[in-house]
Amino acid sequence: MKEEKNNKNAKKFGMVIDLDKCTGCGTCMVACMSENNIPFKEDESNKLYSITWMRVYRLTNGKSYPDTDICYLPRPCQHCGGRGDHGHSPCVSVCPATATDYSKETGIVSQIYTRCFGCRYCMAACPYHARYFNWWDPVWPKGMEKYLSPNVSVRMRGVVEKCSFCFHRYQLAKDKAYYENRSEIEENEYQTACAQACPSGAIAFGDLNNPAHAVCELKKNKNAFRLLERLQTNPKVYYISGRQWVRHAGDNHLKRDS
Amino acid sequence: MKIDRRSFLSLGIGGAAGIVLSPLPWKLMDDSAIWTQTWPWTPVPPKGDATYVNSACTLCPGGCGISVRKIDERAVKIEGIKGHPVNDGGICLLGLSGLQLLYGPTRIKTPLKRDGERGAGKWIEISWEEAISNVAEKLGDLRKNGKSGSVAFISGIDKSTVPALFKRFLSVYGSSGFMRMPSAADSYELAVYHSLGLKAQLGFDIENSDFVLSFGSGIIEGWGSPVYMMRANGNLRKTGGKIIQIEPRLSNTAAKSNKWIPLNPGTEYALALGLADVIITKSLYNRDYINNSTSGFGEFAAFVQSLYSPDKVEKITGIKKDIIETLAVDFIKAAKPVAICGRGQGRAQSSLGEVIAVQALNALVGNINRKGGAFTVSDPGYFSLPGVISGKMAETKPANIFINDVNSGKCTANALFIYEANPLYSLPDSNSVKEAFAKIPFIVSFSSFMDETAMNSDLVLPNHIYLERYEDVYIGSIPKPVVSLLKPVVNPQFNTKHTGDVIIQIAKKMGSSLADSFRWDSYDSFLEKALGDKWKVLSEESFFEDKKAAELSLKKFDFTGDFSDFKSLFLDLNAQGNPDKYPLVLIPYDSVRIANGYIGNPPFVVKTVEDTALKEKDIFVEVNPVTAKALGLLEESSAMIETPKGKAKVKIHLFEGIMPGLVAMPRGLGHSAYDKYIAGKGINVNELIGTIEDPASGLDAGWGIRAGLLKC
Amino acid sequence: MDTKIISGELKRCPAWQFGLWIGAAGIVLLWGVYATLLCWIKGLNQTNMNDAYGFALWIWADLAIIALGGGAFFTGFLRYIIGKDELKHIINYAVIIGFICYSSALIILGIDVGQPLRGWFIFWHANVHSMLTEVAFCLTCYLFVLIIEYTPIILENRRLGNIPFLHNFGHNLHEIMAVFAATGVFLSFFHQGSLGGVSGVLFGRPFAFREGVFIWPWTFFLFTWSAAACGPCFTILITKITEKITGKKLVKQNVIELLAKISGWMTGTYIIAKIVDTLYWAKVTLPKTGFGFLDFYTNNPLYGIWILVLEIGICGILPALILISEKGRKNPASLMAAVILAVLGVCINRWVMVLQVMAAPVLTFETWQMYIPSWQEIATTILPLAYGVIVVSFSYRYLPVFPQEKELNP
Ligand SMILES: Nc1nc2c(c(=O)[nH]1)N[C@H]1C(S)=C(S)[C@@H](COP(=O)(O)OP(=O)(O)OC[C@H]3O[C@@H](n4cnc5c(=O)[nH]c(N)nc54)[C@H](O)[C@@H]3O)O[C@H]1N2
Ligand SMILES: Nc1nc2c(c(=O)[nH]1)N[C@H]1C(S)=C(S)[C@@H](COP(=O)(O)OP(=O)(O)OC[C@H]3O[C@@H](n4cnc5c(=O)[nH]c(N)nc54)[C@H](O)[C@@H]3O)O[C@H]1N2
Ligand code: SF4
Ligand code: SF4
Ligand code: SF4
Ligand code: SF4
Ligand code: SF4
């Protein structure tokens, strides 16, 4: 009985990103940085050391002038459900200290900074490079720490961090609903910072299980795909593109079937 | 007790075992782990009550409404206001980074007076009284010596109340030297004046159009009002509208467009005339509109038919004539087509001929001041300065022309005031700007940041930044102009002063007519009076649409643009430089991820810059692989780029999406001032490019410069 | 000077010479310690690891060291469980080498993690699904076993042996050593496998991922097998080097040959399994992920097919054949060559399973990542070497490590 009730209430938060709408403006990256107290350094040009929970990749079709084409692909953590959606995300299953976990209630892959001891095994496991290590102590120029948000803890050196689907916003929304004597939150009450900021409206966020939420319909688009589906990581981030080459770039293909 | 070896050992072993079994090591281990979780050097943001303050963003001319989240007295996040007519909840990456500017190290904390050489970065901190007396004295002396006319203002904005105070100040003081930073708006305004006889800006209704023919306008690159345009682009897509992008480089707008048509840079006007020719020859134009609402059509038709047939245009633009023909037909047959121009973000001027040629296309379809077309937007009507003043109200001129005039000796400037602008960095041909600056003995900057221009001034009177002050924000580059109100989200963080207050106090200090014309106690009380009944709306709603400015005038479109000789209007303006010495052409490009106005890129924005544009301190130029191969250049090769204006070391990024023979460099890098997070990254393209004077208008029609690229 | 500590009958070099030797190794050790301190105090930014290369040089060293340290458990297995009695003449040394390898591995792990002070969370907040948890538990337990195995050897020191308590303690330990050896063997079998599992379970990384049985990917078994095969070769190699340096014959050739023969057969069977595994991976596992075999050996400056040929052919099949053939074993030169190749082979395998895994792109729009270790990484990776030299030197000087030494050097 209880099980059943729980399953019915279980949410599966996810995203649908329309790559044809995305302009590559990078706003989602910065929305995430400013929402989630992401640190920065004097030189951020080496992307192997640059923490960007949301990273916008630039894809090209490989053709020469003037048949060249570009597509931008924003990549948050994919909140992988793992094979069969059992919650064994590539990263969660390998973490030796249970510092990253899969929530069956929300489908969100959490990251507990104070638990993580920095072995980076999860980074090795994640095929999307969604995880970032704090190689340095985070340092804000004097006075700048004033803008830090208390809703997201600042990470110390030596731990891994990644996109949380702005989990704190979920908690704030739930708290609000609780105070207002509601048991459920509305779709618009829990939106991620990146989805909210995107000037092109390219990112939709919501409960993939809930037919009332936009993402539920959007993910059924015939041009919807996920990254590296063949690996059975089962991401909760869907992409839409009308361009065949873009959809093709979402996964690896053997020469003979491409 | 005598301790023998045996008991010593057993004691030792026993002791060790005892310690291990005691809570001590475990406690210590636990403590040390907890300590790593609370390292004192890792900040813990204090908790507090969350509130939101609605205001507006002034970091670019976009005019977005923002909602700032605060925790107690700290501003912690900037978001877009849902329902705001400009951005409806959206925001851009620069707007999101505002708090890094508010609290950042690049702020100027108190008035500064230059000590030592200009630009050496040596300053003496002075009080506001001293600063204001200093300026008043200087201006008093100049006026006494009959040199009032040699005082100039360069402002980044020109339509709202603070520039109105500057203009009033200059008028009463006896100068006409009010300048704004150059942009496509200069060309639009001139074109509107010539073709419609109106003093108005242009706003394009992209959102409601179904076919946008863009002559290089970076609709999603930050053109005009960036978030507004991105939203418009999104809406256009939703309704199935098309965008055709014409430019030599595959910009993001080009990549996202329905069709990208590369053309030889600088030949946009010819393409527009060629399209007009096809439309006219095929008799596809809007007869009703042409007959009733235009003049000079016959002359124009004869001109384009004699000189801009598709064959000829193919030769000029490099676009196949059948593409030109199809494009013309597609354009004219669309229900609500609109042609737009102003390259990249539209932060640079274009030739008058180019804008008039493009406007002629809009006239041919009859979509001027019609839904989905080009709208004329007159000067704001939401405020008025009380009291009559003596003297003629100063006209706005583009700052680049002023710089040329100072250099050529046509104009002498004895004092220059700079507001919300960074001309030393952002005007093309930086060396000539420096030269002009060197000729001006007294330069005052109102900048809140230690930018290049502030760095090279004599006196810095730091303004509050937009999050610390009241001010009106006007955005007139969209069909329905919007006014928003800046509100002090937080108290001023440093010893800064509202520039409006500074002007009022200087005027008071100077006495006589000036003091009489500035009788307000403070800028805030002035603003309230100037806004009249709008004050209430603004302070409550934080924005409203300026209906007065949007009132449409139904004047006729004059195809001749008031020019008796079309040949002096429509010109092939060659890039500067000898093709033998400089076989390539350098074109600057705009990226929405690089701020290139007077605001330097805050750290968050720099984080988004791709490593194919900037790596450590090196800037990358884009070159087609074919061009690179001929020059022996590979991806990431170092090279020296040289133009008639200067040379610089760059790195090569091979890009298939750029026309062979061109080199593209991003605008907005290569700052030398501000702080370590902004400065020293790449090259400022303005140091390499020059201007091309458009003989028809005197404006800068520059779109590139010849260049050489040498492996090094 | 230290003659009182040296077991009476053994001939050892003069103290000053020993001091110089230790001093030289000590300098290298200090260099490594300095680098270690830098990593601890300033953080892992001292390395050239990055977000694409979360596992790098020293994790490879770690895996390689543990594989090579496998000589201890496998020799122990042969001696105590299978009953190959001759091996008692080399077991001490195998244990010492194993101890060095395993303690080094733990030191490296202590440097490798971003928050060393929280390292124990791996035990406290253990995640049973994680191979690394398995590794940590087994590694730690096995190190304890090795310490217990090492202790009686230490207690045989002339001075310590004179203390009755310690003497008896050591003697008693000896008596029950088989139990520990068996435990060690079990633990070691297990965690060698877990180490293989570390990369084998990465289903997001098709280059590393292997199917398998139950929770274990094939790499689990391959790692154990290869460690058992090549670990003894390392024991032989180190023994030979020690003989060279000391200028003495320390272990009888028949002992070496026996170990070599077993190693040869182990290597031979391992390499067959490895070939089957590679074929299965290339033909069955990989295609399901959309990758072609050659995708992992082209389009990059380093990893070509050559590495596979080197690992499997030259450093696998070849040494196996040499060691299996009596002629090959008997010829000192070919024996040495085979032993070196086998050691190299297992090191390449671990390299591939750590570094090539990180280097190969998975997303279609990413490219190969190459990485060059920083000096701090190199110093900390060499640290165990210097530490090993010192432990071996002290052990050799003061402990009766080689039971046949006296007999062979009358
Ligand atoms: N009034 C009241 N107070 C209580 C209780 C109560 O019932 N009533 N219960 C008590 C109990 S039992 C407990 S356990 C505590 C819980 O108290 P807290 O530990 O404060 O728990 P939360 O508020 O649930 O979560 C803490 C923070 O974790 C963030 N977070 C969520 N996911 C992640 C992630 O993946 N990474 C990181 N870094 N942060 C994340 C959230 O956004 C939130 O800011 O409260 C105690 N206090
Ligand atoms: N949705 C959601 N679920 C959560 C959490 C969350 O944040 N959100 N937090 C999780 C966490 S961290 C925790 S600790 C758990 C807590 O979950 P529970 O342990 O279920 O906590 P409560 O519901 O606060 O308290 C349990 C019951 O104890 C009763 N009680 C109070 N005092 C006493 C007493 O003295 N004696 C007895 N016999 N009963 C008493 C209360 O009336 C209540 O009915 O919830 C977990 N579940
Ligand atoms: S903010 Fe939106 S449009 Fe911009 S890069 Fe992100 S998803 Fe794309
Ligand atoms: S994207 Fe990476 S970090 Fe996110 S859940 Fe999947 S494997 Fe884990
Ligand atoms: S780095 Fe942290 S989160 Fe990742 S696996 Fe290790 S302990 Fe877990
Ligand atoms: S969902 Fe939140 S945490 Fe994730 S990328 Fe978007 S803004 Fe960042
Ligand atoms: S577009 Fe301009 S006004 Fe709008 S948020 Fe960005 S910087 Fe501010």
Side-chain angles (χ1 to χ4, degrees):
Chain A
M1 234 350 248
K2 200 165 176 252
E3 272 279 88
E4 217 168 291
K5 189 166 161 264
N6 278 348
N7 279 344
K8 202 167 142 242
N9 288 340
K11 294 176 175 57
K12 207 174 133 185
F13 286 107
M15 245 176 216
V16 183
I17 305 180
D18 188 332
L19 300 182
D20 296 336
K21 278 191 190 163
C22 169
T23 63
C25 68
T27 299
C28 48
M29 294 174 72
V30 175
C32 182
M33 293 175 203
S34 59
E35 178 77 19
N36 291 298
N37 294 338
I38 306 238
F40 57 87
K41 310 181 299 295
E42 195 176 325
D43 178 16
E44 288 278 353
S45 64
N46 187 339
K47 302 305 174 193
L48 297 172
Y49 293 112
S50 184
I51 300 179
T52 44
W53 293 5
M54 174 64 104
R55 175 164 178 198
V56 179
Y57 282 87
R58 188 172 196 253
L59 281 57
T60 56
N61 65 350
K63 294 196 180 158
S64 48
Y65 178 91
D67 299 317
T68 322
D69 199 4
I70 302 171
C71 181
Y72 289 91
L73 186 139
R75 191 255 30 227
C77 165
Q78 309 285 306
H79 294 271
C80 308
R83 299 186 163 191
D85 226 359
H86 294 312
H88 295 294
S89 332
C91 53
V92 168
S93 51
V94 300
C95 174
T98 333
T100 178
D101 204 4
Y102 186 87
S103 159
K104 291 243 159 76
E105 214 176 287
T106 57
I108 292 176
V109 175
S110 65
Q111 177 72 18
I112 310 169
Y113 315 117
T114 46
R115 170 80 63 81
C116 169
F117 69 100
C119 70
R120 305 181 302 287
Y121 191 12
C122 51
M123 300 177 75
C126 172
Y128 304 102
H129 290 301
R131 295 182 156 266
Y132 294 86
F133 186 71
N134 282 275
W135 300 99
W136 284 267
D137 279 307
V139 179
W140 281 266
K142 195 170 167 291
M144 232 202 246
E145 72 288 339
K146 278 193 204 158
Y147 73 61
L148 294 175
S149 159
N151 299 94
V152 182
S153 45
V154 172
R155 285 74 62 185
M156 61 291 293
R157 178 234 286 170
V159 304
V160 163
E161 59 182 77
K162 65 159 196 80
C163 154
S164 66
F165 267 177
C166 292
F167 190 73
H168 60 285
R169 288 188 168 211
Y170 178 59
Q171 291 184 317
L172 290 174
K174 276 209 316 184
D175 285 353
K176 185 162 170 278
Y178 179 79
Y179 285 124
E180 293 167 5
N181 254 318
R182 287 179 287 132
S183 58
E184 283 296 321
I185 56 169
E186 297 294 320
E187 183 180 16
N188 63 7
E189 283 184 292
Y190 170 34
Q191 284 296 317
T192 63
C194 51
Q196 178 194 28
C198 174
S200 306
I203 307 177
F205 179 82
D207 181 0
L208 296 167
N209 282 345
N210 188 338
H213 287 200
V215 287
C216 195
E217 199 53 38
L218 282 170
K219 73 169 199 282
K220 295 180 196 150
N221 185 305
K222 68 172 176 12
N223 288 329
F225 66 99
R226 294 181 292 172
L227 293 179
L228 306 174
E229 289 206 59
R230 293 171 180 208
L231 299 186
Q232 294 184 274
T233 48
N234 221 335
K236 275 192 274 299
V237 177
Y238 291 76
Y239 296 91
I240 295 177
S241 177
R243 294 184 235 195
Q244 208 257 328
W245 73 265
V246 174
R247 296 195 300 274
H248 194 261
D251 208 344
N252 292 286
H253 304 269
L254 292 175
K255 296 267 171 336
R256 62 166 185 268
D257 57 39
S258 62
Chain B
M1 192 184 91
K2 189 168 173 270
I3 297 179
D4 59 10
R5 178 176 280 138
R6 187 169 175 158
S7 56
F8 175 77
L9 272 167
S10 31
L11 255 176
I13 292 168
I19 290 170
V20 170
L21 296 176
S22 79
L24 186 68
W26 311 105
K27 176 82 177 101
L28 285 177
M29 228 154 79
D30 190 42
D31 282 353
S32 66
I34 289 171
W35 173 70
T36 66
Q37 299 172 358
T38 53
W39 277 340
W41 58 88
T42 306
V44 180
K47 290 195 191 320
D49 290 331
T51 50
Y52 284 85
V53 180
N54 281 358
S55 183
C57 177
T58 65
L59 297 180
C60 88
C64 297
I66 55 170
S67 175
V68 185
R69 182 165 195 256
K70 286 175 68 182
I71 297 292
D72 291 339
E73 281 314 303
R74 303 184 297 121
V76 299
K77 175 86 192 292
I78 298 180
E79 286 162 9
I81 298 180
K82 197 100 192 130
H84 191 283
V86 172
N87 55 318
D88 188 21
I91 190 166
C92 85
L93 71 176
L94 182 59
L96 275 161
S97 308
L99 300 179
Q100 294 198 311
L101 297 168
L102 170 67
Y103 296 121
T106 195
R107 289 289 303 270
I108 297 168
K109 299 179 176 62
T110 189
L112 298 172
K113 194 176 158 181
R114 175 167 64 83
D115 186 24
E117 287 291 296
R118 246 196 212 160
K122 284 199 190 141
W123 302 98
I124 303 174
E125 298 188 354
I126 55 172
S127 68
W128 275 106
E129 285 88 286
E130 191 183 342
I132 286 165
S133 313
N134 214 315
V135 176
E137 239 166 70
K138 194 88 197 176
L139 292 177
D141 286 350
L142 286 172
R143 186 162 58 177
K144 229 184 294 159
N145 298 328
K147 291 181 178 165
S148 303
S150 69
V151 171
F153 267 72
I154 294 181
S155 171
I157 51 175
D158 69 321
K159 305 269 190 240
S160 51
T161 60
V162 171
L165 286 179
F166 293 155
K167 286 187 211 168
R168 166 175 283 212
F169 187 94
L170 285 173
S171 306
V172 180
Y173 177 74
S175 166
S176 58
F178 181 80
M179 264 86 54
R180 70 173 179 204
M181 291 296 279
S183 76
D186 299 330
S187 310
Y188 295 155
E189 281 179 22
L190 205 59
V192 170
Y193 187 70
H194 275 276
S195 57
L196 287 161
L198 287 174
K199 282 180 87 180
Q201 303 188 63
L202 277 182
F204 298 98
D205 192 11
I206 304 287
E207 187 170 1
N208 291 307
S209 168
D210 67 343
F211 193 100
V212 179
L213 183 58
S214 157
F215 291 83
S217 301
I219 301 170
I220 58 172
E221 243 86 26
W223 187 64
S225 174
V227 174
Y228 178 87
M229 280 302 158
M230 288 184 205
R231 278 181 47 234
N233 173 66
N235 289 338
L236 174 100
R237 304 260 154 221
K238 229 187 265 166
T239 54
K242 285 197 165 96
I243 294 180
I244 310 298
Q245 185 71 7
I246 300 156
E247 58 178 316
R249 175 182 169 271
L250 183 73
S251 65
N252 286 357
T253 307
K256 288 288 161 185
S257 66
N258 299 74
K259 194 170 171 60
W260 167 45
I261 304 176
L263 92 174
N264 295 331
T267 63
E268 287 85 350
Y269 82 96
L271 177 63
L273 296 177
L275 295 170
D277 169 60
V278 176
I279 292 168
I280 294 168
T281 307
K282 295 194 189 242
S283 271
L284 294 170
Y285 50 87
N286 183 334
R287 256 162 226 288
D288 236 22
Y289 187 83
I290 296 295
N291 292 339
N292 301 324
S293 308
T294 68
S295 61
F297 175 71
E299 289 126 289
F300 179 74
F303 173 74
V304 293
Q305 285 179 314
S306 69
L307 288 172
Y308 291 93
S309 66
D311 282 319
K312 288 180 183 138
V313 174
E314 173 172 338
K315 285 205 187 74
I316 305 173
T317 61
I319 303 173
K320 295 261 171 300
K321 70 173 191 190
D322 47 321
I323 295 183
I324 297 172
E325 281 171 356
T326 333
L327 183 60
V329 174
D330 288 349
F331 175 72
I332 202 87
K333 293 229 163 131
K336 284 178 284 177
V338 65
I340 62 175
C341 63
R343 289 177 192 80
Q345 299 185 338
R347 307 277 186 266
Q349 297 163 341
S350 308
S351 76
L352 183 59
E354 181 180 318
V355 183
I356 289 192
V358 171
Q359 280 305 95
L361 289 174
N362 288 326
L364 285 173
V365 289
N367 68 356
I368 293 171
N369 285 336
R370 203 186 69 178
K371 193 171 181 187
F375 282 82
T376 52
V377 180
S378 46
D379 277 355
Y382 65 89
F383 72 89
S384 58
L385 260 57
V388 195
I389 53 160
S390 57
K392 194 174 163 289
M393 195 64 171
E395 284 288 331
T396 305
K397 272 175 285 188
N400 52 333
I401 295 183
F402 165 76
I403 298 291
N404 290 347
D405 290 351
V406 169
N407 277 332
S408 68
K410 221 165 116 185
C411 150
T412 315
N414 281 313
L416 175 65
F417 293 77
I418 295 147
Y419 178 70
E420 308 258 296
N422 186 7
L424 213 52
Y425 171 84
S426 46
L427 290 179
D429 197 357
S430 308
N431 280 329
S432 76
V433 185
K434 275 183 203 140
E435 215 178 286
F437 268 51
K439 291 186 179 164
I440 305 171
F442 186 58
I443 299 176
V444 180
S445 166
F446 293 109
S447 183
S448 308
F449 313 108
M450 195 42 95
D451 55 43
E452 284 79 0
T453 308
M455 194 71 185
N456 277 284
S457 53
D458 305 298
L459 202 57
V460 190
L461 310 180
N463 194 3
H464 300 325
I465 86 161
Y466 69 117
L467 298 164
E468 301 165 322
R469 66 182 199 241
Y470 275 111
E471 200 168 308
D472 52 323
V473 179
Y474 173 72
I475 144 110
S477 61
I478 57 180
K480 289 179 182 164
V482 174
V483 186
S484 304
L485 183 66
L486 289 188
K487 271 188 230 144
V489 173
V490 293
N491 289 328
Q493 299 292 303
F494 304 106
N495 182 25
T496 53
K497 208 180 201 50
H498 197 304
T499 301
D501 282 321
V502 176
I503 289 295
I504 292 170
Q505 286 173 23
I506 292 171
K508 283 194 191 321
K509 191 117 211 160
M510 293 185 65
S512 67
S513 56
L514 273 167
D516 288 343
S517 309
F518 289 82
R519 282 203 195 143
W520 308 283
D521 294 338
S522 66
Y523 171 80
D524 292 356
S525 60
F526 150 74
L527 182 66
E528 204 178 323
K529 286 207 185 74
L531 288 172
D533 54 351
K534 305 288 185 327
W535 168 257
K536 202 164 146 24
V537 189
L538 274 184
S539 51
E540 276 164 18
E541 304 288 328
S542 93
F543 60 86
F544 72 96
E545 282 180 20
D546 187 13
K547 301 235 163 61
K548 216 163 160 188
E551 274 168 17
L552 299 180
S553 149
L554 298 172
K555 290 215 176 165
K556 285 192 172 184
F557 181 86
D558 181 1
F559 276 98
T560 69
D562 228 4
F563 276 74
S564 49
D565 175 15
F566 282 120
K567 281 190 183 159
S568 64
L569 178 61
F570 301 120
L571 290 159
D572 222 354
L573 296 166
N574 288 322
Q576 191 185 348
N578 176 353
D580 295 330
K581 185 167 179 213
Y582 304 109
L584 307 172
V585 172
L586 168 68
I587 54 168
Y589 74 88
D590 290 336
S591 160
V592 74
R593 295 202 205 162
I594 306 174
N596 66 28
Y598 102 100
I599 298 295
N601 301 286
F604 280 159
V605 174
V606 177
K607 260 185 113 147
T608 69
V609 176
E610 279 167 292
D611 55 2
T612 49
L614 178 74
K615 205 173 251 180
E616 287 174 12
K617 302 204 171 295
D618 293 321
I619 195 171
F620 283 68
V621 292
E622 293 177 353
V623 186
N624 189 289
V626 174
T627 311
K629 198 168 171 207
L631 295 166
L633 295 166
L634 305 168
E635 178 70 24
E636 284 205 43
S637 294
S638 289
M640 186 63 79
I641 187 166
E642 191 174 352
T643 71
K645 291 293 170 188
K647 57 179 176 178
K649 220 175 134 195
V650 295
K651 288 206 161 169
I652 302 297
H653 172 50
L654 301 182
F655 182 38
E656 292 284 3
I658 184 168
M659 182 180 268
L662 298 187
V663 186
M665 186 186 268
R667 276 203 187 95
L669 292 173
H671 279 287
S672 57
Y674 297 94
D675 56 42
K676 64 175 182 177
Y677 299 96
I678 299 175
K681 297 179 193 296
I683 304 292
N684 178 5
V685 70
N686 288 317
E687 288 171 6
L688 296 173
I689 58 175
T691 55
I692 307 174
E693 194 181 306
D694 172 19
S697 63
L699 297 181
D700 171 23
W703 44 265
I705 192 163
R706 299 216 67 100
L709 205 50
L710 268 183
K711 197 171 163 176
C712 71
Chain C
M1 207 171 103
D2 56 353
T3 41
K4 280 198 194 129
I5 321 175
I6 297 170
S7 298
E9 309 85 347
L10 302 178
K11 286 196 202 76
R12 293 292 180 259
C13 66
W16 65 265
Q17 206 176 350
F18 183 69
L20 273 183
W21 168 255
I22 293 295
I27 288 169
V28 179
L29 182 88
L30 283 178
W31 184 50
V33 169
Y34 174 60
T36 302
L37 290 176
L38 283 180
C39 291
W40 277 339
I41 294 164
K42 295 194 173 179
L44 291 180
N45 53 54
Q46 297 296 300
T47 72
N48 275 353
M49 286 191 283
N50 56 50
D51 288 337
Y53 257 96
F55 285 170
L57 183 72
W58 61 42
I59 289 291
W60 160 72
D62 208 73
L63 262 68
I65 280 176
I66 292 177
L68 298 173
F73 91 88
F74 195 62
T75 315
F77 170 73
L78 294 172
R79 154 103 165 82
Y80 293 108
I81 293 170
I82 304 289
K84 294 279 176 198
D85 211 36
E86 301 97 304
L87 294 180
K88 69 174 181 238
H89 301 304
I90 200 166
I91 188 77
N92 283 353
Y93 207 36
V95 163
I96 293 173
I97 294 168
F99 168 78
I100 292 167
C101 291
Y102 278 79
S103 50
S104 301
L106 278 177
I107 295 171
I108 290 181
L109 282 180
I111 307 168
D112 175 66
V113 297
Q115 286 282 354
L117 293 174
R118 294 183 208 165
W120 54 278
F121 284 14
I122 206 170
F123 305 112
W124 197 250
H125 301 289
N127 171 13
V128 291
H129 296 288
S130 175
M131 281 292 157
L132 216 53
T133 306
E134 212 172 289
V135 169
F137 272 89
C138 295
L139 215 64
T140 313
C141 294
Y142 188 47
L143 182 65
F144 275 113
V145 170
L146 280 171
I147 291 171
I148 292 167
E149 292 188 62
Y150 191 9
T151 309
I153 308 176
I154 296 172
L155 297 182
E156 275 176 36
N157 170 272
R158 186 174 168 191
R159 287 291 283 276
L160 295 177
N162 283 343
I163 303 164
F165 169 75
L166 292 182
H167 180 81
N168 289 334
F169 184 64
H171 185 73
N172 287 328
L173 275 180
H174 258 309
E175 298 284 289
I176 54 163
M177 198 46 70
V179 178
F180 283 109
T183 317
V185 165
F186 169 76
L187 284 171
S188 196
F189 261 115
F190 211 76
H191 84 77
Q192 291 284 359
S194 314
L195 276 175
V198 165
S199 46
V201 296
L202 300 178
F203 66 95
R205 297 275 193 166
F207 181 72
F209 179 65
R210 293 296 188 281
E211 290 158 72
V213 285
F214 193 40
I215 60 164
W216 292 293
W218 296 128
T219 45
F220 184 96
F221 308 99
L222 288 173
F223 266 52
T224 306
W225 204 252
S226 56
C230 305
C233 287
F234 187 64
T235 313
I236 297 174
L237 180 64
I238 297 297
T239 309
K240 287 290 172 191
I241 292 173
T242 315
E243 288 183 345
K244 194 104 208 149
I245 292 171
T246 57
K248 285 181 198 148
K249 186 94 187 103
L250 297 171
V251 179
K252 282 190 183 158
Q253 198 59 19
N254 69 320
V255 178
I256 300 278
E257 276 169 29
L258 173 66
L259 206 53
K261 181 176 159 189
I262 297 170
S263 198
W265 281 106
M266 290 294 292
T267 309
T269 45
Y270 159 72
I271 217 70
I272 291 168
K274 171 77 190 169
I275 290 168
V276 172
D277 168 74
T278 306
L279 287 175
Y280 186 82
W281 168 73
K283 292 284 164 207
V284 182
T285 317
L286 259 194
K288 283 191 253 176
T289 66
F291 277 96
F293 172 72
L294 278 180
D295 290 342
F296 293 108
Y297 297 97
T298 42
N299 289 327
N300 78 86
L302 179 64
Y303 301 104
I305 282 290
W306 67 268
I307 201 160
L308 209 59
V309 173
L310 185 65
E311 182 198 335
I312 293 179
I314 300 169
C315 298
I317 299 171
L318 188 61
L321 291 178
I322 295 174
L323 294 179
I324 287 169
S325 91
E326 184 155 6
K327 236 170 105 191
R329 290 198 299 273
K330 294 259 186 245
N331 179 330
S334 68
L335 174 79
M336 274 311 274
V339 161
I340 290 171
L341 285 179
V343 165
L344 193 61
V346 82
C347 291
I348 293 171
N349 174 264
R350 300 316 192 244
W351 177 283
V352 164
M353 293 310 282
V354 174
L355 292 165
Q356 198 174 345
V357 171
M358 296 294 120
V362 184
L363 287 168
T364 61
F365 39 87
E366 292 206 309
T367 48
W368 283 78
Q369 288 292 343
M370 294 293 140
Y371 125 102
I372 296 162
S374 72
W375 73 261
Q376 290 90 332
E377 282 172 273
I378 294 169
T380 34
T381 305
I382 290 177
L383 183 148
L385 221 67
Y387 154 78
V389 165
I390 292 170
V391 174
V392 165
S393 303
F394 273 98
S395 300
Y396 169 74
R397 188 172 178 85
Y398 298 118
L399 308 176
V401 174
F402 299 101
Q404 295 173 315
E405 181 182 354
K406 219 162 47 180
E407 183 190 341
L408 288 167
N409 303 277

